[in-house]
Amino acid sequence: MPQDIFNCRTTLNTPDGSFTYYSLPTLERAGAGRLDRLPYSLRIILESVLRHADEVHITRQDVLNLLNWQAQANDRPAMAFYPGRVILQDLTGVPVMNDLAAMRSAFARQGGDPAHLQPILPVDLVIDHSVQVDFTRVPDALQKNTLAEFERNQERFEFLRWAQGAFKNFRIVPPATGIIHQVNLEYLSQLVLTREENEQTCLFPDSVVGTDSHTTMINGLGVPGWGVGGIEAVATMLGQPIEMVIPAVIGFRLTGALREGVSPTDLALTIVQILRKKGVVDQIVEFTGPGLDSLTLADRAMIANMSPENGATMTYFPVDQQTLDYLSLTNRPVNLVETYYRAQRLFRTPSSPEPEFTSIVELDLSQVEPSLAGPRRPQDRLSLADIKPGFINALPRPKSEGGFAVSPERLEQKAVVDLNGAQTTIGHGAVVVAAITSCTNTSNPSVMLAAGLLARKALEKGLHVPAHVKTSLAPGSRVVTALLEAAGVLDALEQIGFQTVAYGCTTCIGNTGPLVSEVTRAIEENQIVAAAVLSGNRNFEGRISPHAQANYLASPPLVVAYALAGRVDIDLTCEPLGCDAQQQPIYLRDLYPSSAEVQHLIQTCLTKTLFEANYSRIFDGNDRWNQLSANNQLLYEWNPKSTYLREPPFFKTELISKVAITGLRDARVLAYLGDSVTTDHISPAGDISSRSAAGIYLLEQGVDVPDFNSYGARRGNDEVMRRGTFANIRLKNRLIPGVEGGFTLHIPSRTQMSIFEASQRYQQENTPLIILAGKEYGTGSSRDWAAKGPLLLGIRAVIAESFERIHRSNLAGMGVLPLQFLPGESATSLGLTGTELYTIPPLPSDMIPGGKLFVIARTEDGKQIGFSVRVRLDTVGEITSFRRGGILHHVLYERLHE
């Protein structure tokens, strides 16, 4: 029970009744702080710290540290943050619940009551990551893809149905409802949460952590939220705080307004580029300035969604009138929210004083231009006019220079493909995937209606999408479909090829499904560099399709435009998309709708009724889901023959970290990696090849190739996942220069083999393993298997130049030691080749957060290279849990000894 150590608990009278709350203005007076100078994002976090202060986990000084936050401080203290709720999606949520079920089994084996292991916080799981685009450009694509989703994932879905009955405070949004972050934005978040305290109802601000890195989308609604690994999510669900260093907060000041023809997607991509260049990892970005008032809630959510791409922990927009208008539109309480946020000085108005920030970034919105990002990273923004020359110039360049290494004799390579009697020509730059996908864009009515209007005008001009383009439309919620239908543009999208294929993430996470076999064959036989254009948030190598090397992020109307063009080596600012019946050229400017056209449809068609009708049965509206079998047993009955769900091995070992206690002696490097290695490179994702170690395992278990499903769907099977770790087809391991894919060198024998095979051999030889890496190690999705998989391969430490926030936390949480080269040093500068033997000492008993260790690398000729590294265990709590083998072992230990 909170102690109210500052005597800040008081009564708030609202139009909805009287409540208690912990008053920040009262704290300001008691703590001699100045609330108005504090960024809004930190004010909400301060409320949580104040409310949970008990002089044990959170002390009086912890509260004062945050209240008196120093914008320019170099050394910042740690804090414990208790979020209000947790949100999961199914690909990361199944292993989370799998871990929780395994913890219950371990708890029971050691004499504990399994009913004692329950989520303390409210938890929502949205099933949106399992559906794949197998069917498109046919009228019943949605029904066929949904049926295939259930057929492939029956066992996983039945497990979730069991979890729904076995755990308290746990709700599930069934398949074919919408994408997690859009559902969270449009329905789940209430902005103000309540709990019973001393027989009274206490109000507090909504805050959330989720097992998807794009949980940050909710920052657009004024809710602090970010992605965590599944490991950290389980601990949080069970009542553990999130320990973090009080962050720096970067102010992003906006002025002006977007010009005609410039979309909020263009703005989002521009912001990603600016922030990546600045460097905001482990920091909060908070928007301010007069230009903020011109951004709709949907615009803000789009920008906030892409926080993982810009590197920030959060990209936060304060609660203001735009927030209230959106709550009203989506049928949520407005009066209570406004009264509470104003009373707490959490409500921003145009006349509110600007808070203090660590630094300021400024952008004049009128300078933003139509843009795409690609061909490999979200931060590589290009103006629309630069796409063609950028692609053409990349063809002859080697990959080390960002090119595609096409030989001179193949620069003009083309293939004529016959598709059901229609001939289409494919050459370098051919668009083979055009997807309106992802909650990043489909949550925004303006860009979705612009896409629909563009499609309608294209039809009227007689334009069509070439047969080699795989088109798809996967809205983030059913509200989108209802809006497009009400606006009279859904039929045009379908006729042009953008049928609704699913309500899920689809192409955005690589669930693109196979291309037509004739197209695939033409690409492979002619070594064609094909392209994908999608309205998603990531375009990492190998993510979208193994047959699309050039991947571009774009607004939905530009996705339609490039689909019509059928290629990316075209300048849409001055070259025609095609010709009409009179052979007159049709340009993008002839089709692109005006902002007045779009706003008219928004004002007349986007109504409260759409949200009310489509969210009225959010939890029980899927009959197929409701018919799945389930039971209420507290312990899950593991099926030893299952290839989807196995009891993970993590809780069958002793609850200590051998690395922390004994260190590493004569460790080998399993992979020596460069900069910007993503969790897509580390954690298995996408299709499972029959020739891969995971595919061979499944064949040995009697699974036919058509039933392999994806790595994501099999995250509950550690045998599949460990075999797929570092198996990405685009991985570049410096131990074997010039080779791409999941291969390495077994150094003692000088034999090239798969990373999985090498790890098995090293483990048989009792050789501990490490990873060497460059900057931004672990960017991308919050995949816990990017830490679990390496652990099971025998990797005990990662030495990198820098880490992305979530992945560093995941490594520490699984007992894999994250070590960082000192500033200015790297494997290259130290002369390391990855062939050395590495000795890392144990953590000293007086280890402090961010302390140093001295590593010795012994070369093959006996020379020793010694260097210091910073231990990226950033809090005392993280050090404590690491010594016990990781956060989940720590939680289990604590529960067993209560």
Side-chain angles (χ1 to χ4, degrees):
M1 182 65 64
Q3 302 300 309
D4 191 20
I5 60 178
F6 284 92
N7 296 315
C8 290
R9 189 167 54 223
T10 186
T11 300
L12 180 69
N13 296 315
T14 79
D16 299 297
S18 295
F19 302 88
T20 62
Y21 75 113
Y22 287 76
S23 169
L24 292 179
T26 302
L27 172 66
E28 178 184 44
R29 293 189 292 273
R34 190 157 60 86
L35 202 57
D36 287 341
R37 63 172 286 278
L38 205 61
Y40 289 92
S41 51
L42 291 186
R43 295 181 205 180
I44 295 185
I45 294 173
L46 173 63
E47 190 281 338
S48 173
V49 173
L50 169 65
R51 183 164 31 91
H52 288 93
D54 57 3
E55 292 292 15
V56 178
H57 299 95
I58 297 178
T59 66
R60 174 182 292 268
Q61 188 58 50
D62 292 333
V63 177
L64 294 176
N65 286 342
L66 191 51
L67 174 64
N68 295 291
W69 173 81
Q70 299 300 306
Q72 305 302 324
N74 292 321
D75 295 321
R76 301 180 185 277
M79 67 175 185
F81 173 62
Y82 290 86
R85 58 192 178 93
V86 176
I87 192 165
L88 317 171
Q89 40 93 335
D90 53 306
L91 286 198
T92 52
V94 167
V96 163
M97 302 313 294
N98 203 42
D99 283 347
L100 198 54
M103 288 180 73
R104 264 194 178 175
S105 296
F107 197 68
R109 284 195 297 268
Q110 298 184 54
D113 179 1
H116 188 53
L117 232 60
Q118 296 279 8
I120 293 173
L121 299 182
V123 182
D124 288 305
L125 186 148
V126 181
I127 300 176
D128 64 348
H129 274 56
S130 297
V131 65
Q132 179 173 294
V133 186
D134 293 304
F135 302 94
T136 186
R137 301 185 80 160
V138 293
D140 56 351
L142 173 62
Q143 291 74 22
K144 287 183 174 180
N145 288 322
T146 301
L147 179 60
E149 177 186 15
F150 270 87
E151 291 175 343
R152 285 194 184 103
N153 297 285
Q154 179 91 6
E155 186 178 348
R156 296 172 64 247
F157 289 175
E158 287 180 348
F159 169 73
L160 289 176
R161 285 282 285 164
W162 165 80
Q164 192 175 21
F167 293 103
K168 299 176 181 177
N169 294 324
F170 182 54
R171 303 185 299 185
I172 292 180
V173 177
T177 304
I179 300 176
I180 173 175
H181 311 303
Q182 192 158 341
V183 172
N184 193 23
L185 181 77
E186 294 178 350
Y187 180 81
L188 293 176
S189 176
Q190 301 296 304
L191 252 80
V192 171
L193 302 178
T194 63
R195 73 175 181 201
E196 295 306 308
E197 182 181 299
N198 296 328
E199 299 183 351
Q200 293 179 311
T201 301
C202 179
L203 299 179
F204 55 98
D206 187 10
S207 60
V208 61
V209 294
T211 57
D212 189 291
S213 54
H214 294 101
T215 300
T216 53
M217 185 170 184
I218 205 64
N219 302 163
L221 193 64
V223 175
W226 58 82
V228 296
I231 308 145
E232 199 170 7
V234 174
T236 304
M237 288 160 60
L238 295 175
Q240 291 290 310
I242 292 174
E243 291 199 328
M244 57 190 292
V245 175
I246 296 176
V249 182
I250 309 302
F252 203 121
R253 186 181 294 136
L254 298 177
T255 57
L258 296 177
R259 292 178 289 120
E260 181 72 24
V262 177
S263 75
T265 310
D266 305 323
L267 172 60
L269 295 177
T270 301
I271 289 171
V272 167
Q273 183 182 50
I274 291 171
L275 292 177
R276 267 296 170 188
K277 184 176 181 179
K278 178 176 176 58
V280 291
V281 173
D282 288 328
Q283 301 176 24
I284 291 173
V285 173
E286 180 170 305
F287 281 84
T288 187
L292 187 53
D293 297 311
S294 70
L295 297 184
T296 68
L297 199 292
D299 297 343
R300 300 172 181 191
M302 178 187 292
I303 295 165
N305 179 288
M306 296 192 74
S307 299
E309 284 66 51
N310 69 47
T313 300
M314 290 196 297
T315 307
Y316 185 79
F317 291 83
V319 172
D320 61 8
Q321 189 59 47
Q322 291 275 21
T323 316
L324 299 181
D325 292 344
Y326 186 78
L327 291 178
S328 177
L329 173 68
T330 52
N331 302 294
R332 283 173 285 186
V334 175
N335 292 331
L336 179 65
V337 169
E338 182 174 8
T339 303
Y340 176 79
Y341 275 76
R342 285 187 182 277
Q344 290 282 56
R345 303 228 303 265
L346 299 173
F347 192 86
R348 173 194 170 273
T349 69
S351 61
S352 297
E354 184 174 85
E356 292 181 16
F357 296 108
T358 305
S359 63
I360 293 284
V361 176
E362 298 199 51
L363 176 64
D364 180 350
L365 295 175
S366 67
Q367 299 303 305
V368 178
E369 58 185 349
S371 305
L372 290 85
R376 293 190 180 94
R377 300 187 307 174
Q379 63 262 43
D380 295 333
R381 184 197 65 84
L382 294 167
S383 68
L384 184 60
D386 289 336
I387 296 299
K388 178 181 179 177
F391 177 80
I392 292 174
N393 292 337
L395 287 175
R397 295 207 311 270
K399 291 189 177 182
S400 61
E401 298 176 10
F404 296 107
V406 175
S407 58
E409 64 272 15
R410 289 186 174 273
L411 286 177
E412 302 301 324
Q413 193 78 11
K414 286 183 170 55
V416 178
V417 182
D418 190 304
L419 297 174
N420 298 321
Q423 286 194 334
T424 184
T425 301
I426 298 176
H428 296 308
V431 174
V432 294
V433 174
I436 300 177
T437 180
S438 171
C439 55
T440 309
N441 277 277
T442 68
S443 61
N444 196 310
S446 67
V447 292
M448 293 302 292
L449 290 171
L453 288 168
L454 194 151
R456 188 166 71 186
K457 294 181 180 184
L459 279 177
E460 293 169 352
K461 298 288 188 180
L463 299 182
H464 66 277
V465 174
H468 64 261
V469 184
K470 182 170 185 176
T471 49
S472 61
L473 167 60
S477 78
R478 290 182 175 268
V479 173
V480 178
T481 304
L483 172 62
L484 294 173
E485 190 170 22
V489 296
L490 181 62
D491 185 60
L493 283 164
E494 291 177 344
Q495 287 187 53
I496 211 167
F498 286 90
Q499 278 84 10
T500 300
V501 296
Y503 293 98
C505 296
T506 62
T507 303
C508 185
I509 58 164
N511 285 0
T512 309
L515 305 182
V516 177
S517 58
E518 293 87 347
V519 172
T520 299
R521 186 162 53 250
I523 292 171
E524 292 176 341
E525 291 178 354
N526 295 276
Q527 299 179 30
I528 288 171
V529 178
V533 183
L534 66 150
S535 65
N537 43 45
R538 289 188 177 145
N539 52 346
F540 301 140
E541 288 183 291
R543 180 182 181 93
I544 307 306
S545 168
H547 298 100
Q549 290 189 54
N551 301 288
Y552 295 92
L553 306 179
S555 65
L558 287 182
V559 171
V560 175
Y562 276 102
L564 291 165
R567 56 195 179 95
V568 295
D569 58 337
I570 179 175
D571 186 347
L572 293 185
T573 66
C574 60
E575 294 182 51
L577 290 165
C579 295
D580 61 16
Q582 289 74 43
Q583 295 303 303
Q584 293 298 308
I586 305 299
Y587 296 90
L588 176 61
R589 60 179 177 268
D590 300 325
L591 306 178
Y592 207 93
S594 68
S595 58
E597 291 177 272
V598 172
Q599 287 305 312
H600 172 72
L601 289 180
I602 290 176
Q603 292 167 8
T604 56
C605 302
L606 187 62
T607 64
K608 290 185 175 185
T609 305
L610 297 185
F611 291 93
E612 184 178 13
N614 286 281
Y615 281 111
S616 61
R617 295 189 59 197
I618 181 176
F619 296 109
D620 62 358
N622 188 313
D623 292 337
R624 185 175 279 113
W625 170 260
N626 296 336
Q627 292 166 10
L628 289 176
S629 61
N631 63 61
N632 294 319
Q633 296 177 0
L634 287 174
L635 295 177
Y636 185 70
E637 295 182 4
W638 306 97
N639 178 1
K641 295 182 179 180
S642 173
T643 58
Y644 276 100
L645 294 159
R646 289 167 43 92
E647 184 175 5
F650 311 118
F651 308 107
K652 298 177 182 178
T653 58
E654 53 188 325
L655 306 182
I656 61 169
S657 167
K658 293 181 180 178
V659 179
I661 304 303
T662 65
L664 297 177
R665 184 174 181 81
D666 291 343
R668 287 288 188 186
V669 174
L670 185 60
Y672 176 14
L673 307 171
D675 296 340
S676 300
V677 171
T678 73
T679 52
D680 279 26
H681 289 111
I682 306 167
S683 174
D687 294 338
I688 302 173
S689 167
S690 60
R691 297 188 297 272
S692 67
I696 293 169
Y697 164 80
L698 289 174
L699 290 171
E700 290 172 347
Q701 305 305 307
V703 180
D704 295 330
V705 174
D707 298 323
F708 274 10
N709 210 328
S710 66
Y711 278 113
R714 293 191 181 273
R715 287 184 183 176
N717 185 319
D718 59 279
E719 294 291 351
V720 170
M721 299 304 285
R722 76 173 79 198
R723 286 167 169 79
T725 300
F726 290 116
N728 186 288
I729 60 173
R730 304 296 179 199
L731 187 73
K732 300 178 183 68
N733 182 356
R734 294 177 179 177
L735 291 178
I736 44 171
V739 176
E740 279 194 347
F743 301 98
T744 194
L745 186 72
H746 178 256
I747 296 167
S749 67
R750 285 297 188 273
T751 305
Q752 180 177 312
M753 59 185 69
S754 75
I755 286 179
F756 173 72
E757 291 173 319
S759 76
Q760 296 299 102
R761 188 160 172 179
Y762 279 126
Q763 289 186 65
Q764 290 169 3
E765 297 164 353
N766 294 317
T767 301
L769 299 172
I770 68 170
I771 295 290
L772 289 181
K775 301 180 183 69
E776 298 177 350
Y777 183 73
T779 63
S781 301
S782 57
R783 293 181 179 158
D784 54 348
W785 272 105
K788 290 177 177 176
L791 177 71
L792 295 180
L793 291 182
I795 294 164
R796 296 295 176 261
V798 177
I799 309 178
E801 291 178 59
S802 64
F803 293 88
E804 288 292 286
R805 177 186 61 84
I806 298 174
H807 185 60
R808 184 213 62 80
S809 176
N810 275 340
L811 289 171
M814 284 308 299
V816 178
L817 188 61
L819 302 173
Q820 190 163 313
F821 290 108
L822 297 186
E825 294 187 345
S826 66
T828 301
S829 71
L830 292 167
L832 302 174
T833 65
T835 59
E836 303 85 1
L837 289 166
Y838 289 76
T839 295
I840 301 172
L843 300 184
S845 58
D846 58 351
M847 186 75 201
I848 61 172
K852 295 179 182 178
L853 292 177
F854 191 74
V855 178
I856 295 176
R858 191 171 75 253
T859 66
E860 293 170 295
D861 61 4
K863 178 184 175 183
Q864 289 191 352
I865 302 173
F867 57 98
S868 293
V869 292
R870 188 168 299 283
V871 180
R872 288 301 310 277
L873 301 176
D874 293 351
T875 66
V876 173
E878 211 165 50
I879 294 171
T880 300
S881 63
F882 187 86
R883 292 186 189 278
R884 288 179 177 154
I887 184 64
L888 297 187
H889 283 167
H890 173 70
V891 171
L892 198 56
Y893 177 90
E894 292 289 317
R895 287 298 177 90
L896 285 167
H897 293 83
E898 284 181 349

